[in-house]
Structures are given as C-alpha cells and as structure tokens.
Amino acid sequence: MDTQKTILLIEDDLDLAELASAYFRQKNILVIHLVDPMEALQAIITAKVKPDAIITDLNLPLMSGLSFIKAVRAEGLQLPIILITVSNDVETAVEAIAAGAYDFVVKPLHFPQLLISAQRAFKYKSLHAENETLRQTIDYTKGMNPDGIIGKSDAIRKVIDLAKRVAKSSSTVSIWGESGTGKEVFAKAIHNWSPRSKMPFVAINCSAIPENLLESELFGHAKGSFTGALEKKIGLFEEADGGTLFLDEIGDLNLPLQSKLLRVLQEREIKRVGENQSRAVDVRVIVATHKDLRVEVQEKRFREDLFFRLNVIPMKLPPLRERREDILPLAEHFLNRFNVLNGTNILGFKKSAKEFLLTQPWRGNVRELENAIERAVVLSTTNEIDASAFSLFDEPSLQDSFLSTEDKKNAFIFHFGDEVEPLHEVEKKYVQFVYERKNHAKELTAKALGIDRKTLYRKLQEIEPTTAEK
Ligand SMILES: Nc1ncnc2c1ncn2[C@@H]1O[C@H](COP(=O)(O)OP(=O)(O)OP(=O)(O)O)[C@@H](O)[C@H]1O
Ligand SMILES: [Mg+2]
C-alpha cells in the first residue's frame, strides 16, 4: 500500500474545507486545514507540517494566494502548490503558475479532478526530493573543491585539463583506469563542465544488469515486445537526451549490444526494442572500463570498430601509487567528510599516520584510501590520527574481538601480516571453511567451489585424510 500523503489546505470557506477533507480521507490522504496563509507559511518553514502538496484558495482575506506562492518560493521551498480559483479569475491563476504554482482548478470544485491534480503533484514532489538527494550527494562528493576533484600531482592535473577541454565538445570519451581511481568522478565532472550540465547525467553499470534486460534498459521497449514488457518503456538513451550517458564497465557489454551501441554512436538515433521506428537522440556518451580493451579486441570479445569509435578521446586515470602527492590532500578531504558524517572533530594526521598513508600500495586506489580514513575516523581515540588507527585491523586478536561467534562462522578471515602463506595453504583453509559452512555436505561444497566431487574429495584428503571419509 502507498504511504499516506498529506495535503495542506488553505481555505477560508469552512464548509468547502470540510467536504474536501472528507473526500480525501476516503482516498487515504490526510488533509490539514488552515485558514491563515501566514500560519501555513510558518508551519511549513518550521516543518511543523510536512505536506506533500499544498492546495490554496487564490482569494484569501489575509494574504492573496499569489503572494503566498511567492513567499513559499522565496523561502526556497519546492512544494507543489495547487490553486483554487473562480472561473472569472483564470488570468490571475495563469500569473500564479508563472510565479511557481504547480496547477490550478476552477470553482465549483470537482473533487475527482482535484484528486488527479494532487496525485500528479505528489509524484512531482517525490521526483523532486529524489533529485535533491542526488544533487546533494553530488555536491557532497565535491567537498571543498568546487570541481569535485582533489589532487595536485602533475598526472591528475593533466587529466583535469583534458577533461575540461573535452567537456566543451560532444565527442565520446573513454575513461580507463584501475578500480577506485575515480572514473565515475571524472565522468560526472566532464558532464558538469559541459554545456550539457543542466541536462540529465544518466549512469548505468553494464555489468550490473542482466544481459537480457540491458538492451531494453538502454534503448527502451514497446509495450508487449517481450514477456514481461507490460508497458512501453523509455530507455536510458532517451532519458539522457540533451545530456550525458555514462556507460560504466563497457568491457562487459556483449557482442550483439556492442553492434547496437556502434550504430547509435554512428547514426545518433535509437530504436526501442520491438519498434521499427528510429528516434533521434542527442546524447554525449562517456564510457569507462577497468579492462584493457585492446586485449579484449585481440581476444575477439570486443568489436574493433567500436573500440576505435570509443577511443576518440581516451583518458587514462593513473593509479594512486603513481601519484603519491595526491594521497595526503585526498586523506585530508576524506577526513573532513567523515568528521561531518560522524560528528567527530579529528584535527589531522600525526607524522606516523602520514608515513603510513604515503607508503601503502593502495591497490584499491582512492576508494581504498577513502575506506581506510573512514575506519580510522571511527576507531581513533585521539583528536589526531596516528598510524595505529590504520593498523588495528592487522592485529588478528583485535580483529577477532570485533567479530561475534556467528560472524566468525560466516567470515573467511585471512590476515595479511608480514608472513606470507603459500597459495596451496590458503586454498586448503578456504576449502575447509566452505566445507564447514556447508555443514559437511560434499555435493554443496563442490558446487559452491565450482569443482567436481572428485576434486573436492582429493582436496579434503590432503587437508585431513579422515575428514574426507566422513
Ligand atoms: N580525485 C578525487 N577526488 C576526490 N574523490 C575522489 C577522487 N577520485 C576518486 N574519488 C573518490 O573515490 C571513490 C572511487 O571513485 P570512483 O567511483 O569514481 O572510482 P571508479 O574508478 O569508478 O571505481 P570502480 O572501477 O571501482 O567503479 C569515490 O568515493 C570517489 O568519490
Ligand atoms: Mg566506477
């Protein structure tokens, strides 16, 4: 069931207000009725009332509906406002729309019509709220730097320069880089610096969507074009029209879809699944991958012609270990962020912590650094982080103490200390672990490990000859 919505009704005609309240109550919508628009304004500013939409009479004794709308907008509140007006005052209603009202209905009121308008307003509000959250998230990732990208190394500066230059054009950009190097950050930055910045930025991870759904996700489909296509659907290319489409993990796109993508890039038009008609789209495409597409091409997993199309502007993001100057600025940036998020006030890093940060290999790049800082902020007991805040998790005893018995049973923990274990030892432990978890069911264990029963039997025998017999 839908959650109950709330309407704030501002109306001086008490009978009408009562009728409207009763009607909406039947539709599971709560109506809060106020006569005074000033009181209403205060209630929403102070969040005493949190309506999903406002319905207001245009002709109110204390303050006109028009002034009310202007006052709400002046407060930066984006609530949808529906006006009730008399038929000979439609002109004012039109003026009110120009001032930011969402809709108007004419007296005498036809409640079902008002309901439709209210429901559309709810939808508008929830979409708006969603956008707002996204915008804030993006602003947040921007941190102190308005460009959103932290880094002062020559390597990252070169990439920033390139990104700024290519942002002006509509050419396809392909971003290469190891996991966690900031591919998505740069894709967004290119969009934000481009003339398309006011239009949508739509992102999709090609490896996260099942292959059979990806085509309709990208291009949309006609109603009934395949089982389950109950309604027509607009694809992401159309959604991103005028803006930017970011195709993440492009290396995982299957060959048939690669041909379709090539066609879109060449023709600048798409066909929804199950339709013959082509539709023009104006979309700047940015792709990203952590795979080496040249190898994919050699192995015939990636179309060479598509590779060349995508490679118009290649952009390589260097791994963090090749730009160590960026480590401390990034660490400071994340420290500020997690201080805010956790309500802590950690001032900075001690020398030992800086040394630690500068000497790590950061195989998971910026994301790994980000996670390490988050953990250190949470674990730090002093107002300056020292190296021990990072090494806590290397201590088996300490790490164990964080885990409940249940967690230990479900987690395969391996300590990367100074002593390196040979691979076959690790394998043994892992086989044993999965075997325990599957309650000694050999069939299930073999399946989970992707090996056949015989192989499992042999491995178990190596671990402990008697275990295998059980
Ligand atoms: N230069 C940067 N400045 C600030 N934050 C950054 C920078 N580079 C990366 N980050 C942060 O690091 C994290 C990883 O970045 P992002 O998701 O863009 O990487 P990615 O290359 O797309 O990784 P993956 O391949 O795993 O998808 C994000 O939280 C991002 O905000
Ligand atoms: Mg990514």
Side-chain angles (χ1 to χ4, degrees):
M1 211 174 91
D2 280 353
T3 52
Q4 193 182 40
K5 301 285 185 193
T6 304
I7 289 175
L8 175 61
L9 174 66
I10 309 166
E11 173 62 73
D12 57 339
D13 180 342
L14 302 184
D15 291 339
L16 180 65
E18 201 167 311
L19 281 175
S21 303
Y23 174 80
F24 280 114
R25 200 177 313 125
Q26 280 174 13
K27 308 288 175 194
N28 190 32
I29 296 168
L30 176 73
V31 172
I32 294 173
H33 171 222
L34 290 174
V35 176
D36 182 356
M38 259 335 268
E39 191 186 339
L41 193 58
Q42 268 165 358
I44 50 177
I45 292 173
T46 56
K48 223 160 65 191
V49 176
K50 291 183 193 162
D52 296 289
I54 299 175
I55 301 178
T56 179
D57 201 335
L58 190 53
N59 289 304
L60 293 162
L62 298 164
M63 179 190 205
S64 81
L66 190 58
S67 313
F68 175 76
I69 292 167
K70 288 182 180 162
V72 171
R73 294 293 175 251
E75 288 297 328
L77 298 165
Q78 292 302 323
L79 287 165
I81 304 173
I82 300 164
L83 287 167
I84 305 173
T85 176
V86 285
S87 56
N88 61 7
D89 202 8
V90 172
E91 241 171 61
T92 319
V94 173
E95 198 186 328
I97 297 277
Y102 177 74
D103 197 1
F104 67 89
V105 288
V106 177
K107 273 184 185 171
L109 280 188
H110 179 53
F111 286 136
Q113 188 198 347
L114 187 57
L115 176 67
I116 292 175
S117 179
Q119 280 166 336
R120 282 184 20 229
F122 295 158
K123 200 156 182 198
Y124 167 85
K125 157 111 184 323
S126 65
L127 282 177
H128 191 275
E130 215 171 283
N131 271 340
E132 189 63 11
T133 325
L134 285 175
R135 198 182 56 75
Q136 280 175 4
T137 320
I138 293 170
D139 279 353
Y140 204 63
T141 57
K142 285 182 177 176
M144 303 292 114
N145 186 337
D147 294 334
I149 293 170
I150 310 294
K152 56 178 192 174
S153 63
D154 282 348
I156 206 75
R157 281 200 188 160
K158 274 190 192 136
V159 185
I160 294 175
D161 282 351
L162 178 63
K164 284 196 172 151
R165 265 183 285 124
V166 303
K168 297 195 189 84
S169 76
S170 266
S171 312
T172 306
V173 179
S174 54
I175 307 179
W176 324 76
E178 288 177 12
S179 182
T181 45
K183 297 187 287 294
E184 187 150 359
V185 169
F186 270 90
K188 277 185 193 146
I190 292 173
H191 174 75
N192 288 341
W193 293 331
S194 80
R196 297 167 175 266
S197 64
K198 295 273 178 294
M199 301 303 277
F201 173 85
V202 177
I204 182 173
N205 184 329
C206 299
S207 68
I209 311 260
E211 283 196 355
N212 55 340
L213 294 182
L214 190 55
E215 181 175 3
S216 108
E217 204 58 40
L218 289 173
F219 305 115
H221 62 240
K223 186 174 169 179
S225 51
F226 55 84
T227 323
L230 300 178
E231 292 298 333
K232 73 161 194 206
K233 179 181 153 76
I234 288 184
L236 296 180
F237 267 100
E238 280 177 85
E239 242 178 63
D241 203 7
T244 306
L245 180 63
F246 174 49
L247 301 172
D248 205 354
E249 301 302 355
I250 191 78
D252 291 332
L253 205 63
N254 66 25
L255 284 162
L257 275 179
Q258 288 175 24
S259 323
K260 294 200 166 124
L261 176 61
L262 181 64
R263 203 182 143 263
V264 180
L265 294 177
Q266 280 165 344
E267 318 286 331
R268 298 280 155 193
E269 52 186 34
I270 57 119
K271 267 189 198 155
R272 294 186 188 160
V273 177
E275 274 189 3
N276 279 324
Q277 179 199 352
S278 297
R279 295 163 192 268
V281 284
D282 166 28
V283 174
R284 130 70 70 79
V285 174
I286 302 180
V287 303
T289 175
H290 69 276
K291 289 187 178 168
D292 186 344
L293 284 192
R294 283 166 217 274
V295 175
E296 298 299 298
V297 169
Q298 271 163 18
E299 305 277 326
K300 304 257 180 288
R301 286 190 295 263
F302 206 86
R303 287 181 67 121
E304 189 170 32
D305 42 7
L306 179 59
F307 170 78
F308 286 120
R309 265 275 154 190
L310 296 176
N311 211 28
V312 183
I313 304 173
M315 200 164 178
K316 167 116 180 35
L317 283 183
L320 194 53
R321 62 182 170 280
E322 287 174 17
R323 46 183 170 112
R324 294 199 179 267
E325 305 97 291
D326 293 340
I327 293 177
L328 292 180
L330 279 164
E332 293 281 349
H333 166 71
F334 294 131
L335 176 65
N336 289 335
R337 178 194 292 183
F338 291 115
N339 263 337
V340 173
L341 287 178
N342 293 302
T344 45
N345 188 23
I346 297 172
L347 304 172
F349 300 96
K350 286 213 175 103
K351 195 161 166 259
S352 64
K354 288 184 183 166
E355 271 165 14
F356 175 87
L357 292 171
L358 288 170
T359 49
Q360 290 305 296
W362 301 120
R363 274 183 268 274
N365 295 295
V366 185
R367 180 173 295 111
E368 188 188 356
L369 174 64
E370 185 178 359
N371 292 340
I373 303 295
E374 179 172 16
R375 221 165 48 201
V377 167
V378 173
L379 295 177
S380 180
T381 47
T382 55
N383 65 1
E384 256 191 317
I385 292 179
D386 61 34
S388 68
F390 298 113
S391 52
L392 263 184
F393 272 73
D394 289 342
E395 294 278 340
S397 56
L398 272 171
Q399 178 166 2
D400 280 354
S401 66
F402 281 108
L403 301 171
S404 66
T405 323
E406 189 57 20
D407 285 342
K408 277 180 204 157
K409 189 175 147 231
N410 290 324
F412 179 68
I413 302 163
F414 191 72
H415 307 294
F416 293 95
D418 286 339
E419 243 165 78
V420 172
E421 283 204 58
L423 202 51
H424 67 265
E425 283 303 320
V426 182
E427 186 189 273
K428 267 190 202 168
K429 286 184 186 165
Y430 189 63
V431 169
Q432 177 90 36
F433 162 75
V434 176
Y435 187 53
E436 300 283 331
R437 263 190 82 169
K438 298 287 169 193
N439 290 325
H440 297 191
K442 294 203 182 76
E443 194 72 48
L444 293 178
T445 309
K447 210 166 157 205
L449 291 170
I451 54 182
D452 58 32
R453 259 184 84 104
K454 255 197 233 149
T455 316
L456 175 69
Y457 189 80
R458 190 166 43 74
K459 289 190 187 297
L460 287 174
Q461 252 191 339
E462 279 168 23
I463 296 165
E464 201 182 333
T466 50
T467 320
E469 311 299 327
K470 276 190 231 160

